[in-house]
Amino acid sequence: DLKENDLIATPRIVFVSSSERDKDFARLFGYIVGDGYIRLNRIEFINKDKELLEDYKRTIKNLFNIEPKYEKITNKVTRIMYYQREFIDKIINLIKNDENKYTTNYKYIPNYLMGKDLETIANLLAGLFDTDGTVDKNKDVIEFCSKNEKLVDQVQRLLLRFSIVARKKARLCSASNTKNKIEREYFYLYI
């Protein structure tokens, strides 16, 4: 029944509470959405930042009491794999989709996390920006980049919870990790 220019009453502040486990899980989920690779039998995480890699492993150890099954360093990048069913199921059940695809194009932030308190949201955003964010010193901006427009829109909405207004812009970029410089559309948030 809503029409253009209708007024909608919405709360300015929503008070919710979260546990320390929620905050840690939100940061972990941000890491996985950013640099994780999800398959039905494993979750991989690929990054070169040693501090971030240690936090990723420590957080999984604290939340699920498991160790990685595989860890390998190639070309200064570390690949960590977990095969434990409970951990994989928890992540997959949060981002379930009809096509059973969990690549970048299909990852999103579930409502379970979108409605959490500000400290939990801050941890989720920290995980996302640690993996897919950059600081451009030449332009004095912080960027978040993804080829998944839905995810970028969700991050933009979460930033608004902190009164941070981010501009979204689409641009074509060439993949840097392949010989064929395939151009793809990426969506950027500028803060």
Side-chain angles (χ1 to χ4, degrees), residues 168-183:
K168 181 174 83 171
K169 193 175 194 179
R171 72 179 188 216
L172 289 175
C173 298
S174 297
S176 61
N177 59 348
T178 64
K179 288 183 182 178
N180 307 336
K181 301 298 179 192
I182 302 165
E183 280 200 342

Side-chain angles (χ1 to χ4, degrees), residues 128-171:
L128 288 165
F129 275 85
D130 278 345
T131 54
D132 286 339
T134 58
V135 176
D136 189 332
K137 294 175 188 173
N138 298 327
K139 298 179 191 172
D140 291 331
V141 296
I142 300 169
E143 297 177 338
F144 176 79
C145 173
S146 177
K147 57 184 177 179
N148 181 335
E149 187 173 13
K150 177 181 179 179
L151 177 63
V152 170
D153 289 342
Q154 288 182 308
V155 171
Q156 188 176 33
R157 282 198 341 254
L158 290 176
L159 288 169
L160 283 172
R161 298 229 355 234
F162 295 92
S163 300
I164 299 170
V165 178
R167 290 181 301 118
K168 181 174 83 171
K169 193 175 194 179
R171 72 179 188 216

Side-chain angles (χ1 to χ4, degrees), residues 7-166:
L7 295 176
I8 302 171
T10 59
R12 182 175 286 286
I13 300 172
V14 177
F15 294 99
V16 293
S17 62
S18 296
S19 68
E20 199 58 43
R21 289 181 65 82
D22 285 336
K23 295 167 191 162
D24 288 344
F25 182 77
R27 190 175 65 260
L28 173 65
F29 191 82
Y31 290 157
I32 292 170
V33 168
D35 281 346
Y37 178 71
I38 303 168
R39 301 291 295 192
L40 293 176
N41 68 337
R42 72 181 182 278
I43 292 181
E44 295 182 34
F45 184 70
I46 303 165
N47 201 288
K48 61 181 173 182
D49 184 313
K50 290 184 187 328
E51 187 178 326
L52 193 143
L53 291 161
E54 288 305 314
D55 185 49
Y56 175 77
K57 290 189 300 186
R58 183 177 46 254
T59 303
I60 292 175
K61 176 71 174 164
N62 291 343
L63 292 172
F64 296 94
N65 197 27
I66 56 175
E67 299 285 343
K69 290 285 185 196
Y70 176 85
E71 189 172 339
K72 185 175 182 181
I73 300 171
T74 52
N75 298 330
K76 298 181 184 176
V77 176
T78 301
R79 174 184 302 255
I80 302 171
M81 291 185 200
Y82 287 87
Y83 289 87
Q84 288 78 1
R85 201 70 254 156
E86 176 193 0
F87 173 52
I88 296 165
D89 288 346
K90 172 90 173 177
I91 301 300
I92 286 178
N93 287 333
L94 282 174
I95 57 173
K96 199 103 176 117
N97 61 61
D98 295 335
E99 300 172 48
N100 287 329
K101 293 183 180 178
Y102 306 103
T103 58
T104 300
N105 293 334
Y106 297 92
K107 292 179 187 174
Y108 65 94
I109 302 167
N111 288 334
Y112 165 77
L113 289 170
M114 291 291 289
K116 290 291 185 181
D117 66 295
L118 290 180
E119 197 172 342
T120 303
I121 295 300
N123 274 279
L124 173 63
L125 290 171
L128 288 165
F129 275 85
D130 278 345
T131 54
D132 286 339
T134 58
V135 176
D136 189 332
K137 294 175 188 173
N138 298 327
K139 298 179 191 172
D140 291 331
V141 296
I142 300 169
E143 297 177 338
F144 176 79
C145 173
S146 177
K147 57 184 177 179
N148 181 335
E149 187 173 13
K150 177 181 179 179
L151 177 63
V152 170
D153 289 342
Q154 288 182 308
V155 171
Q156 188 176 33
R157 282 198 341 254
L158 290 176
L159 288 169
L160 283 172
R161 298 229 355 234
F162 295 92
S163 300
I164 299 170
V165 178

